[in-house]
Amino acid sequence: MATADRRAPLEIAGETITAGARRRVDIPVSLLSNHTGMSLSIEVFHGKSDGPVMFVSGAVHGDEIIGVEIIRRLAREPALKHLAGTLLLIPIVNAYGFISNSRYLPDRRDLNRSFPGSATGSLASQLAHIFMREVVARSSIGIDLHSGAVHRSNLPQIRARLDDEGLRSLAASFGAPIVLNADFRDGSLRQAAQEEGCSMLLYEAGEALRFDEQAIRIGVRGALNVMHSLGMTPRGRISSKHAAVFSAASKWVRAPIGGIMRSARTLGHYVTEGELLATISDPFGAVEEPVRAVTAGLIIGRSNLPIVNRGDALFHLAQIVDPAVIGDMINSLESELDEEALVDGFSIV
């Protein structure tokens, strides 16, 4: 019978982690102007038996904090005691943005447009390079956790290249309400990882600088379901009773004028083409301009800010084949999550 010492140890950032061990590794990145050290911190779970190497990352955009809580809960899951393979948890990739409540690095660069990076480039480029070298190059699969921007919320969703059948299957196993086909963006972690031979799922849910309990639970459960599908854990979390809903395309509805917006629809609503989504008025009420759906679809993203300017992105609509299915899926998820036990016994309210 195989024993723990027969599986090769993991070498990462100059440290050796034996099979069956769990260790936090802090990789130095740079010093702040006041001489405070900044690092990329990774929680490593090196299972006793062979299996895939998977990473889960959060706060690539420093203000998208929902991934930090998802990873905190994931690290406490009992299922990880029986891990096959290796799990790398990176709750805060962009520590600079995280401590300043900002999406960006100090020089205003977007880390998720700086991959694969360079050892001698900008701070964003150097951080991207370290992440690629120490995390992505070791992994065969990754889940990157994101949220909407400031004042913008996203319905829990998985984004991936759905022409990859293996990735499509993993995306379905995650259990989010909807899976959206998404092309690569230049400089993104997902594109750079794919070129390195590491397939990725991108989870979008909630709003920047805010926690959303339902979105957090879906994220934790989804990561565990993917691990189970890969044979890394003996079981996942509760699986949805409905098959995944896929969308091949999506469109944004933008503000026709500037003014004060009053929304008539919210996340998770399916709307028909031409349906009223909101009304924009001037502050005196003399002007009333309707905002209507440019296509039939499910609202997967929306602005939460009533003050709008002409051209602002207000509602994100995902086109789906069977609108009846999505309502059942969302209702089923809400019911399952309400019944699900929490690892540490309480939720965020």
Side-chain angles (χ1 to χ4, degrees), residues 258-313:
I260 311 300
M261 180 179 70
R262 306 188 308 279
S263 295
R265 296 290 182 267
T266 190
L267 294 178
H269 280 159
Y270 181 84
V271 296
T272 58
E273 184 175 355
E275 186 170 337
L276 181 69
L277 302 176
T279 301
I280 300 175
S281 307
D282 75 326
F284 302 100
V287 175
E288 295 272 339
E289 184 76 18
V291 179
R292 299 190 181 276
V294 296
T295 182
L298 178 74
I299 300 176
I300 62 170
R302 58 155 289 180
S303 172
N304 296 324
L305 192 64
I307 304 167
V308 302
N309 290 302
R310 180 172 178 160
D312 284 354

Side-chain angles (χ1 to χ4, degrees), residues 54 56 74 143 174 218-228:
M54 174 174 141
V56 184
L74 185 60
I143 302 175
F174 191 97
I218 291 173
V220 174
R221 187 182 67 170
L224 288 170
N225 285 343
V226 169
M227 292 172 67
H228 176 63

Side-chain angles (χ1 to χ4, degrees), residues 45-288:
F45 295 76
H46 194 44
K48 293 182 179 180
S49 55
D50 289 334
V53 179
M54 174 174 141
F55 76 83
V56 184
S57 55
V60 166
H61 291 134
D63 60 355
E64 296 181 7
I65 63 174
I66 196 167
V68 181
E69 177 62 11
I70 290 172
I71 291 174
R72 185 194 71 81
R73 295 190 193 184
L74 185 60
R76 295 167 59 88
E77 281 290 336
L80 300 188
K81 296 177 181 178
H82 308 286
L83 180 70
T86 302
L87 178 64
L88 308 176
L89 298 180
I90 313 94
I92 304 170
V93 180
N94 179 4
Y96 302 89
F98 183 80
I99 63 175
S100 60
N101 298 335
S102 171
R103 178 184 181 91
Y104 303 108
L105 275 294
D107 61 359
R108 296 292 295 171
R109 280 185 167 87
D110 185 335
L111 180 59
N112 209 28
R113 297 295 179 269
S114 303
F115 287 93
S118 164
T120 58
S122 67
L123 178 58
S125 186
Q126 291 185 43
L127 177 55
H129 175 75
I130 293 170
F131 192 85
M132 291 295 295
R133 182 189 69 210
E134 301 295 346
V135 177
V136 176
R138 290 181 166 83
S139 305
S140 58
I141 183 71
I143 302 175
D144 193 24
L145 306 171
H146 286 261
S147 73
V150 174
H151 304 309
R152 185 177 294 170
S153 294
N154 283 333
L155 185 76
Q157 60 197 260
I158 286 290
R159 298 182 183 181
R161 285 287 293 270
L162 300 182
D163 54 354
D164 181 328
E165 287 300 323
L167 202 55
R168 183 184 180 95
S169 177
L170 287 178
S173 73
F174 191 97
I178 190 163
V179 179
L180 185 66
N181 184 57
D183 290 331
F184 295 128
R185 292 191 174 184
D186 290 341
S188 68
L189 171 57
R190 194 161 61 96
Q191 181 188 56
Q194 183 69 31
E195 293 173 354
E196 190 71 24
C198 174
S199 298
M200 272 190 59
L201 301 176
L202 191 149
Y203 178 62
E204 283 273 4
E207 179 185 359
L209 298 175
R210 299 286 184 270
F211 281 159
D212 180 303
E213 181 62 30
Q214 184 182 73
I216 290 167
R217 293 197 194 188
I218 291 173
V220 174
R221 187 182 67 170
L224 288 170
N225 285 343
V226 169
M227 292 172 67
H228 176 63
S229 296
L230 293 169
M232 297 178 69
T233 57
R235 61 184 178 84
R237 275 282 182 90
I238 303 170
S239 296
S240 174
K241 300 177 179 65
H242 297 275
V245 177
F246 291 93
S247 173
S250 63
K251 290 185 177 181
W252 276 98
V253 179
R254 297 184 177 274
I257 62 170
I260 311 300
M261 180 179 70
R262 306 188 308 279
S263 295
R265 296 290 182 267
T266 190
L267 294 178
H269 280 159
Y270 181 84
V271 296
T272 58
E273 184 175 355
E275 186 170 337
L276 181 69
L277 302 176
T279 301
I280 300 175
S281 307
D282 75 326
F284 302 100
V287 175
E288 295 272 339

